[in-house]
């Protein structure tokens, strides 16, 4: 049985982001994906119309059903939806300290739609940060989590909050020709990558990257290697992404 990543993520009916992105990315990484569903969202490639979060009891029951059943090596979280779900995941991770954990601190959808109350989610994430093997914030999320506008100070603050490793994703920065990501471990930058900026907006790019990293960690890669593998893979699937409607975000082609 392939090493398994257990994802705590939401359903996106468009199939671009959320748990479908996780399943496809983890499958492509070579690992197996299991899902504890945190929320059912109502959205398409253009807009989020709403969501209904899973109760924390139902969320934990899903996760606990596969513990001891599948060879879980890593947990990955995306949209969590409520502070109750964040607390439930923290409890689950404390019960399983041997699992690696990739924390993608999702606050809003790329289309701008709400995936939870941002102010309360930010406060609750504080409990998850020290439990993560790696966090994968974009710069909007990094600033929101730390309350610091300056990116160096914000990264430093995340380490003061207990982070062990952070991949800062530069897709939201004003660099028209390229995107720069930087990987920090124990407060020090250990690698950076630049790729050409592709045109358009992409639905589920963050989910895909974090999940591929989780898959590679489950298979035994070190952090630096897992991030490099995931960045190379993501660039290919974004280059081949498909546009469903003229106003829609592009859907990564993960196969
Ligand atoms: N999870 C769910 C269920 C979502 O709907 C979204 C965005 O729409 C995300 C996560 C985050 O997506 P992205 O990878 O585009 O940041």
């Amino acid at each position: 049985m392939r090493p398994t990543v257990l994802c705590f993520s939401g359903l996106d009916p468009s199939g671009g982001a959320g748990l479908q992105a996780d399943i496809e990315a983890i499958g492509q990484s070579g690992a197996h994906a299991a899902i504890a569903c945190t929320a059912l969202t109502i959205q398409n490639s253009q807009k989020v119309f709403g969501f209904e979060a899973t109760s924390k009891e139902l969320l934990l029951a899903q996760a606990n059903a596969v513990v001891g059943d599948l060879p879980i090596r890593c947990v990955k979280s995306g949209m969590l939806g409520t502070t109750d779900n964040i607390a439930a995941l923290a409890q689950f991770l404390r019960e399983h300290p041997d699992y690696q954990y990739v924390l993608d601190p999702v606050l809003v959808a790329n289309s701008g739609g709400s995936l939870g109350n941002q102010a309360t989610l930010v406060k609750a994430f504080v409990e998850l940060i020290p439990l993560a093997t790696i966090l994968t914030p974009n710069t909007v999320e990094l600033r929101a989590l730390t309350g610091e506008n300056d990116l160096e100070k914000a990264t430093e603050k995340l380490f003061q909050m207990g982070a062990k490793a952070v991949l800062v994703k530069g897709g939201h920065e004003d660099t028209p020709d390229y995107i720069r990501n930087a990987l920090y471990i124990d407060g020090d930058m250990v690698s950076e990558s630049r790729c050409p900026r592709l045109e358009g907006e992409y639905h589920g790019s963050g989910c895909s990257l974090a999940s591929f990293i989780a898959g590679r960690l489950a298979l035994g890669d070190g952090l630096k290697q897992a991030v490099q593998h995931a960045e190379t893979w993501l660039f290919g699937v974004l280059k081949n992404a498909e546009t469903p409607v003229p106003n829609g975000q592009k859907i990564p082609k993960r196969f």
Side-chain angles (χ1 to χ4, degrees):
M1 174 83 210
R2 283 167 294 163
T4 297
V5 179
L6 173 57
C7 303
F8 286 65
S9 40
L11 176 86
D12 163 13
S14 80
L19 63 82
Q20 185 167 334
D22 297 348
I23 292 168
E24 293 181 0
I26 291 165
Q28 287 294 301
S29 79
H32 173 69
I35 304 287
C37 182
T38 57
L40 302 176
T41 75
I42 308 159
Q43 64 180 308
N44 55 31
S45 68
Q46 303 170 67
K47 197 171 177 311
V48 179
F49 301 98
F51 70 89
E52 191 168 315
T54 307
S55 71
K56 64 176 191 299
E57 291 79 14
L58 184 55
L59 183 63
L60 285 177
Q62 293 176 77
N64 286 326
V66 294
V67 170
D69 184 64
L70 298 173
I72 300 168
R73 301 280 176 269
C74 190
V75 168
K76 182 257 168 184
S77 66
M79 173 189 182
L80 289 162
T82 62
T83 54
D84 268 4
N85 281 351
I86 292 178
L89 172 56
Q91 179 194 326
F92 179 82
L93 289 165
R94 280 193 289 264
E95 284 166 9
H96 301 283
D98 50 322
Y99 295 166
Q100 302 181 82
Y101 169 40
V102 177
L103 167 51
D104 187 21
V106 173
L107 293 170
V108 290
N110 246 347
S111 61
S114 167
L115 297 174
N117 179 317
Q118 179 158 338
T120 58
L121 291 180
V122 163
K123 278 192 201 146
F125 270 132
V126 168
E127 196 182 353
L128 286 179
I129 290 169
L131 299 170
T133 310
I134 183 170
L135 283 97
T136 60
N138 60 41
T139 52
V140 176
E141 292 158 348
L142 178 62
R143 290 184 173 109
L145 286 174
T146 59
E148 287 283 356
N149 193 44
D150 178 80
L151 289 179
E152 253 179 56
K153 282 190 190 148
T155 308
E156 224 176 276
K157 177 130 181 235
L158 210 49
F159 280 100
Q160 286 161 9
M161 293 163 81
K164 299 184 197 91
V166 182
L167 177 67
V168 180
K169 301 177 298 185
H172 290 77
E173 293 304 288
D174 186 18
T175 51
D177 301 329
Y178 66 90
I179 291 177
R180 175 185 176 269
N181 292 347
L183 173 64
Y184 296 80
I185 298 179
D186 294 330
D188 296 321
M189 195 178 84
V190 296
S191 63
E192 65 177 323
S193 72
R194 272 177 198 233
C195 67
R197 183 180 286 277
L198 297 167
E199 251 179 61
E201 295 294 323
Y202 295 83
H203 195 54
S205 53
C207 304
S208 304
L209 184 71
S211 282
F212 198 98
I213 292 171
R216 293 307 314 177
L217 290 177
L219 286 159
D221 275 5
L223 272 176
K224 226 169 128 174
Q225 205 182 8
V227 167
Q228 276 164 3
H229 266 130
E231 287 176 336
T232 305
W233 171 80
L234 184 73
F235 187 71
V237 305
L238 296 185
K239 227 166 71 179
N240 291 325
E242 297 168 306
T243 308
V245 285
N247 288 337
Q249 297 183 315
K250 295 184 185 181
I251 308 268
K253 197 170 173 189
R254 286 174 285 252
F255 289 103

